[in-house]
């Protein structure tokens, strides 16, 4: 053994004499450390890209699923009905559901006294002034020319005017006999709150609607005393006390007492003038002007009531009233009753807008009064007031001027909402001369589906560029209006 071998062996042995593994050179250890660091960095980068890839795949799957669901829903709406369609999704062809694609424009009042210019006829601007915000009420001077006022009055006289309301309406006795109502049924009909007693206001409401007579509570107490029906003198009628009255007891008693014409709810004469194709050009021009003023679709104006012309002579008046009544689920609009497809015991004239024209200037009285205009609250008691000096707002009749107001509020979605109680109004008594007015009512059903079905029912063609829908004379009823 040489000296070099001994030295090597000595280095590879421990002091205890045990053998050990040979030590790696420093360069090899450094090289291995660098390799592990690079591996961990590569692993981190790969994992980041892998997670991003997975997230993208999940997002893509959600997008594809959502898009395919939307396309299926669209195809199911557009595709014709199949044999596998669920029964509840089928609708009768007579009652299609129409999308709310029509919004009713509503003119802003801004503030009382605000004046805005409106274009109603080519080459001329009219000034429209806000008279009140509750109800939304406007006045337009010079809406009609003097010649137009004269033509409308002459056409009304040519057609002939009839009594607007009689003290005892014709045909009432025959109707009562036909219905053959028992005293109990009549009592329950009048007992609005169903408390088993008839209050004064319940009888007063009945007497105005049925007899056209404007009575006060004092008048009614006198009638009770004259007929000797209120035995306990408490101002209430029980069913037993009501049995003592015959159906025409009120009418007969009032006739015997000599009721004055001033006690009638309405004292005037009126007629209706058709404004469609073939009518006098002045009447068609007025309809076109109303369409421009209200900014409503022409079809709604075309399918509304004819023009009503009214003459009030000395003493003529119209007590405070609403042109339209509230619409409840059990109430149908008079003009759309053909499309209601349901039987209902109650009907009302759904007059969304009233446009009132003054055909002459009145020498004395005859103002249009709004008793609760711009009041903070609506007080039902004003119904019992004769609307002259106590009204908040009175519009003096001036030849050619027009006033118009909304009888309903907006529903907030561009259609007809609830009745505006502040639209209460009346015609004050004419003290000197004669008063001529004309009314144009725009009829719109608060039920959008009913209004749309009605328009389809009475139309012959979808649309006409100039005049809107053409009415079918065989279907159109001449009785679509009623006096309130």
């Amino acid at each position: 053994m040489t000296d070099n071998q001994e030295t090597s062996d000595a280095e590879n042995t421990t002091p205890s004499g045990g053998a050990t593994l040979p030590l790696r050179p420093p360069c090899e250890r450094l090289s291995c450390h660098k390799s592990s660091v690079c591996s961990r960095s590569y692993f981190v980068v790969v994992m980041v890209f892998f997670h991003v890839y997975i997230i993208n795949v999940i997002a893509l799957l959600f997008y594809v699923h959502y898009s395919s669901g939307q396309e299926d829903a669209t195809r199911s709406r557009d595709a014709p009905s199949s044999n596998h369609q669920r029964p509840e999704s089928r609708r009768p062809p007579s009652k299609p559901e129409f999308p709310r694609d029509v919004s009713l424009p509503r003119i802003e009042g801004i503030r009382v006294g605000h004046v805005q210019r409106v274009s109603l006829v080519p080459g001329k601007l009219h000034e429209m002034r806000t008279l009140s915000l509750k109800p939304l009420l406007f006045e337009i001077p010079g809406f009609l020319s003097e010649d137009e006022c004269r033509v409308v009055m002459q056409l009304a006289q040519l057609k002939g005017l009839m009594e607007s309301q009689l003290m005892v309406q014709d045909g009432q006795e025959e109707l009562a006999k036909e219905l053959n109502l028992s005293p109990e049924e009549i009592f329950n009909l009048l007992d609005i709150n169903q408390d088993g007693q008839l209050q004064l206001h319940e009888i007063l409401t009945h007497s105005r609607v049925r007899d056209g007579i404007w009575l006060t509570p004092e008048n009614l107490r006198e009638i009770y005393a004259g007929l000797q029906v209120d035995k306990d003198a408490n101002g209430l009628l029980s069913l037993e006390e009501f049995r003592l009255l015959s159906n025409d007891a009120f009418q007969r008693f009032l006739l015997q007492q000599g009721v004055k014409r001033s006690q009638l709810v309405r004292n005037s004469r009126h007629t209706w003038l058709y404004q469609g194709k073939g009518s006098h050009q002045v009447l068609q021009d007025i309809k076109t002007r109303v369409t421009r003023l209200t900014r409503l679709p022409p079809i709604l104006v075309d399918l509304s009531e004819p023009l009503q012309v009214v003459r009030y002579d000395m003493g003529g008046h119209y007590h405070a009233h609403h042109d339209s009544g509230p619409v409840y689920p059990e109430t149908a609009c008079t003009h759309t009753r053909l499309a209601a497809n349901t039987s209902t015991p109650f009907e009302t004239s759904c007059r969304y807008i009233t446009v009132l024209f003054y055909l002459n200037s009145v020498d004395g009285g005859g103002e249009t009064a709004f008793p609760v205009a711009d009041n903070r609250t609506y007080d039902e008691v004003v119904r019992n007031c004769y609307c002259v000096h106590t009204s908040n707002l009175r519009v003096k009749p001036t030849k050619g001027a027009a006033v118009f107001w909304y009888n309903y509020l907006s529903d907030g979605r561009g259609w007809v909402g609830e009745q505006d109680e502040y639209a209460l109004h009346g015609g004050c008594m004419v003290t000197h001369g004669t008063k001529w007015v004309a009314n144009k009512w725009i009829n719109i059903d608060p039920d959008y589906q009913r209004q749309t079905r009605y328009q389809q029912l009475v139309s012959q063609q979808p649309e006409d560029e100039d005049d809107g829908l053409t009415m079918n004379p065989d279907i159109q009823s001449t009785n679509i209006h009623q006096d309130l």
Side-chain angles (χ1 to χ4, degrees):
M1 179 179 294
T2 63
D3 294 336
N4 293 337
Q5 290 174 334
E6 291 174 357
T7 303
S8 175
D9 293 337
E11 292 172 355
N12 293 331
T13 58
T14 63
S16 61
T20 62
L21 292 176
L23 296 174
R24 293 180 180 179
C27 64
E28 291 183 4
R29 291 197 301 269
L30 181 62
S31 174
C32 291
H33 180 69
K34 287 182 178 179
S35 176
S36 64
V37 171
C38 294
S39 298
R40 284 196 297 271
S41 301
Y42 178 77
F43 176 78
V44 170
V45 172
V46 170
M47 290 304 295
V48 168
F49 277 102
F50 177 77
H51 281 83
V52 171
Y53 175 78
I54 292 297
I55 292 173
N56 287 337
V57 170
I58 294 174
L60 181 62
L61 290 176
F62 272 110
Y63 174 78
V64 172
H65 176 72
Y66 178 79
S67 299
S68 62
Q70 290 290 97
E71 292 173 359
D72 292 341
T74 303
R75 283 195 295 269
S76 65
R77 286 195 301 266
D78 297 339
S81 301
S82 63
N83 294 332
H84 301 289
Q85 190 177 8
R86 291 183 299 175
E88 59 269 22
S89 63
R90 297 175 183 173
R91 301 182 188 277
S94 60
K95 288 188 177 182
E97 292 296 322
F98 303 96
R100 288 277 294 268
D101 55 354
V102 176
S103 181
L104 300 177
R106 192 176 178 93
I107 300 174
E108 295 293 334
I110 310 299
R111 64 183 181 278
V112 175
H114 176 72
V115 176
Q116 48 189 309
R117 296 180 181 274
V118 292
S119 176
L120 303 178
V121 294
K124 183 179 180 181
L125 290 176
H126 287 78
E127 289 189 347
M128 180 172 65
R129 186 165 64 98
T130 303
L131 297 184
S132 78
L133 299 178
K134 295 191 313 181
L136 197 51
L137 170 67
F138 304 90
E139 181 182 28
I140 308 98
F143 188 94
L144 300 178
S145 67
E146 289 192 11
D147 287 340
E148 288 172 330
C149 293
R150 175 182 52 80
V151 168
V152 173
M153 289 188 291
Q154 289 176 341
L155 290 173
Q157 289 173 317
L158 180 63
K159 185 176 180 181
L161 291 89
M162 66 187 74
E163 288 285 349
S164 295
Q165 189 164 356
L166 302 175
M167 186 172 63
V168 180
Q169 298 177 1
D170 293 335
Q172 246 185 27
E173 294 182 0
E174 290 75 8
L175 180 60
K177 292 178 181 178
E178 182 180 345
L179 291 175
N180 194 27
L181 297 177
S182 65
E184 290 82 1
E185 291 172 321
I186 298 176
F187 184 88
N188 290 324
L189 183 66
L190 301 179
D191 188 11
I192 299 174
N193 59 7
Q194 295 295 301
D195 64 347
Q197 300 279 347
L198 292 184
Q199 280 81 17
L200 291 175
H201 74 272
E202 291 173 327
I203 294 292
L204 288 172
T205 300
H206 168 65
S207 68
R208 291 184 193 123
V209 173
R210 182 175 178 181
D211 307 328
I213 300 172
W214 189 268
L215 300 175
T216 65
E218 290 72 23
N219 297 145
L220 195 56
R221 292 188 183 94
E222 292 177 5
I223 295 175
Y224 284 175
L227 297 176
Q228 298 181 353
V229 292
D230 188 9
K231 302 298 184 183
D232 50 10
N234 63 351
L236 304 176
L237 290 186
S238 64
L239 177 58
E240 291 70 22
E241 292 171 329
F242 184 77
R243 289 178 187 274
L244 303 176
L245 290 171
S246 61
N247 288 338
D248 59 352
F250 278 92
Q251 292 93 326
R252 294 187 183 280
F253 180 83
L254 292 169
L255 287 174
Q256 292 172 1
Q257 297 299 314
V259 175
K260 300 177 181 179
R261 293 183 64 84
S262 61
Q263 290 180 281
L264 295 176
V265 172
R266 187 176 189 180
N267 179 14
S268 63
R269 299 177 68 85
H270 76 277
T271 191
W272 301 87
L273 299 178
Y274 172 69
Q275 291 182 279
K277 290 182 177 179
S279 63
H280 196 283
Q281 188 60 46
V282 168
L283 299 179
Q284 295 190 49
D285 291 344
I286 293 175
K287 185 183 71 171
T288 302
R289 217 169 298 166
V290 168
T291 305
R292 283 174 168 264
L293 172 66
T294 59
R295 305 171 189 175
L296 294 174
I299 181 176
L300 295 176
V301 182
D302 291 339
L303 298 184
S304 294
E305 299 172 57
L307 185 71
Q308 186 194 48
V309 182
V310 187
R311 188 185 76 192
Y312 296 88
D313 295 322
M314 285 277 291
H317 63 272
Y318 197 172
H319 285 294
H321 64 284
H322 289 98
D323 283 348
S324 289
V327 179
Y328 303 111
E330 64 275 9
T331 306
C333 292
T334 304
H335 75 286
T336 57
R337 66 181 184 275
L338 294 175
N341 295 329
T342 56
S343 59
T344 173
F346 306 107
E347 288 183 7
T348 187
S349 293
C350 298
R351 293 162 171 166
Y352 179 59
I353 289 178
T354 296
V355 186
L356 173 65
F357 313 99
Y358 297 112
L359 303 179
N360 74 322
S361 298
V362 183
D363 296 334
E367 300 93 340
T368 303
F370 294 83
V372 293
D374 285 327
N375 265 13
R376 290 186 178 181
T377 58
Y378 177 80
D379 188 357
E380 184 70 21
V381 175
V382 299
R383 279 183 168 275
N384 296 329
C385 299
Y386 183 66
C387 65
V388 184
H389 303 293
T390 59
S391 296
N392 288 356
L393 174 64
R394 288 182 293 164
V395 183
K396 184 176 178 59
T398 304
K399 179 187 288 189
V403 290
F404 87 96
W405 62 88
Y406 295 88
N407 294 302
Y408 291 91
L409 304 172
S410 172
D411 68 346
R413 298 178 297 164
W415 199 248
V416 182
E418 296 179 352
Q419 180 194 28
D420 189 347
E421 293 180 327
Y422 291 87
L424 184 74
H425 65 283
C428 298
M429 181 179 294
V430 177
T431 57
H432 294 91
T434 303
K435 173 185 174 183
W436 284 86
V437 297
N439 295 298
K440 181 62 180 177
W441 286 296
I442 310 300
N443 302 105
I444 304 179
D445 196 321
D447 187 325
Y448 179 85
Q449 303 296 332
R450 246 185 353 224
Q451 178 68 32
T452 308
R453 285 196 298 268
Y454 165 71
Q455 291 174 192
Q456 284 197 347
L457 180 64
V458 299
S459 63
Q460 290 180 330
Q461 54 191 10
E463 189 174 352
D464 184 273
E465 279 187 33
D466 297 328
D467 297 307
L469 291 183
T470 304
M471 293 291 292
N472 185 337
D474 296 330
I475 298 179
Q476 183 187 15
S477 172
T478 58
N479 254 341
I480 64 173
H481 51 76
Q482 71 180 34
D483 293 327
L484 293 180

